[in-house]
Amino acid sequence: MTIPTRRMFNTTVAFGALSSLACPAFAEPDWPSKPISFVVGFPPGGLTDAGARYLATGMGTSLGQPAIVESKPGASGNLAAVEVLRTQDSHRMLVANTSITINPHTFPSPAPSPLEFTPIGLILESNLLLCVNPAAPAKNFDEFRKWVQSESKAGAFNYATADNGGITHLAMELLRERAGLASMSHVAYKGSGPAIQDVVGNQVPCVMDGASLLIPFIASGRLRPILVTSAARLSSLPDVPTASELGLKDMVVSSFVGLWGRPKLDRDIVRRMNAALNGAVSSPAISSAITKNGDLPGGGTPERLAQLTEHNFKLWGETARRNHIKAG
């Protein structure tokens, strides 16, 4: 288990996640010979767990074996990642979110690099929304910018995050950098649910989190959206501008959920799993469940997940270092 350093990074990118696709020839002709396990490093009920259950529902029939979801929460997904990293069982796979690209940069103890795993496919992406309480003196981003500057002069401007050193924390600091905002202070919660609830209750001014988590509160009038970090406006929120439209460069970011296998997983297993994953996320029932609240179905090649992983690994690593962000 290794943690790539900045010095190692260029070499790692050159031979990283994409190189793990250069796997040995198929050595298990009867695969799958037993149920497939999707190991999830987060409790049931969240987006990562939902992604695993979409796959378990949609992939079992096509593979000829059932798929089960194993919950192994702890250390922001690190415990599950270590288990799959060390396994010799090709039937055990990792369903992880963007945290897998962040943890090696923010955890004080070793966290597996995402580039060590074999990418199989993208399950879903969740665009990030910046929202404020409806009572806030900000109906658009210009007013939000002025509000932050004013509050910062008077003391500090707070924002809610799902945890310390996670994507909701890093994304707000990236937004601050891109927009040239004054220093802000984050209030870390144990999960997105309580963070969002305190913004709804006007205990904290704002939050940035996944669209599928925030849209229900927007629809009920309990949150006001300011911007979205997607490349294009969301069809469910056509009046909400993108960060790019507002002049914020390199602010197209998302939270994603993907499927990885152990290091150097046999390429025929990768091919079969990728085909089954694409079939699952493109099925009408699962695609509809994913898009219902603003998320995007994944799919595509293992290379697509590899490239997304490398991009996020670099982006969030640099953001964490610039802002001295650590987990815990």
Side-chain angles (χ1 to χ4, degrees), residues 87-276:
T87 189
Q88 298 300 310
D89 186 353
S90 61
H91 295 78
R92 294 180 67 74
M93 299 184 180
L94 177 68
V95 174
N97 62 30
T98 316
S99 295
I100 195 174
T101 69
I102 297 173
N103 293 345
H105 307 291
T106 59
F107 267 75
S109 57
S113 165
L115 307 183
E116 295 182 83
F117 296 91
T118 303
I120 294 172
L122 180 65
I123 301 172
L124 61 85
E125 285 189 87
S126 185
N127 296 298
L128 303 180
L129 281 165
L130 172 65
C131 290
V132 300
N133 184 279
K139 293 182 173 61
N140 54 54
F141 188 66
D142 282 340
E143 292 178 355
F144 178 82
R145 189 197 304 265
K146 293 174 183 177
W147 182 35
V148 172
Q149 302 295 68
S150 174
E151 291 292 320
S152 296
K153 289 179 181 178
F157 183 89
N158 295 328
Y159 62 89
T161 67
D163 55 10
N164 187 41
I167 189 170
T168 59
H169 184 187
L170 290 165
M172 276 299 291
E173 289 303 313
L174 184 65
L175 174 70
R176 180 191 60 76
E177 291 178 340
R178 299 290 191 255
L181 297 174
S183 178
M184 300 187 290
S185 299
H186 85 107
V187 181
Y189 291 80
K190 293 183 178 180
S192 293
I196 294 169
Q197 286 294 343
D198 266 13
V199 178
V200 169
N202 207 18
Q203 303 301 308
V204 185
C206 71
V207 65
M208 182 183 286
D209 214 317
S212 59
L213 300 176
L214 296 170
I215 284 177
F217 295 96
I218 295 169
S220 63
R222 289 178 288 172
L223 287 177
R224 177 187 297 147
I226 299 296
L227 62 79
V228 63
T229 63
S230 52
R233 295 193 183 199
L234 301 182
S235 59
S236 54
L237 295 172
D239 295 329
V240 179
T242 67
S244 298
E245 288 179 293
L246 296 169
L248 305 181
K249 295 182 179 180
D250 301 320
M251 194 64 206
V252 177
V253 296
S254 66
S255 178
F256 67 92
V257 178
L259 178 66
W260 287 264
R262 69 183 189 189
K264 298 183 180 179
L265 186 66
D266 299 318
R267 58 175 170 263
D268 280 359
I269 296 178
V270 174
R271 176 185 57 78
R272 289 192 63 185
M273 287 297 296
N274 178 261

Side-chain angles (χ1 to χ4, degrees), residues 281-307:
V281 299
S282 64
S283 68
I286 293 176
S287 178
S288 176
I290 292 173
T291 59
K292 178 174 65 175
N293 281 327
D295 292 335
L296 304 173
T301 64
E303 287 84 358
R304 179 187 181 192
L305 178 60
Q307 290 162 0

Side-chain angles (χ1 to χ4, degrees), residues 44-93:
L47 195 61
T48 312
D49 177 73
R53 294 183 190 280
Y54 291 146
L55 291 192
T57 300
M59 292 176 69
T61 302
S62 64
L63 293 170
Q65 288 283 352
I68 59 175
V69 176
E70 291 186 32
S71 181
K72 301 279 185 179
S76 193
N78 283 338
L79 297 185
V82 168
E83 182 170 321
V84 174
L85 183 74
R86 294 174 176 172
T87 189
Q88 298 300 310
D89 186 353
S90 61
H91 295 78
R92 294 180 67 74
M93 299 184 180

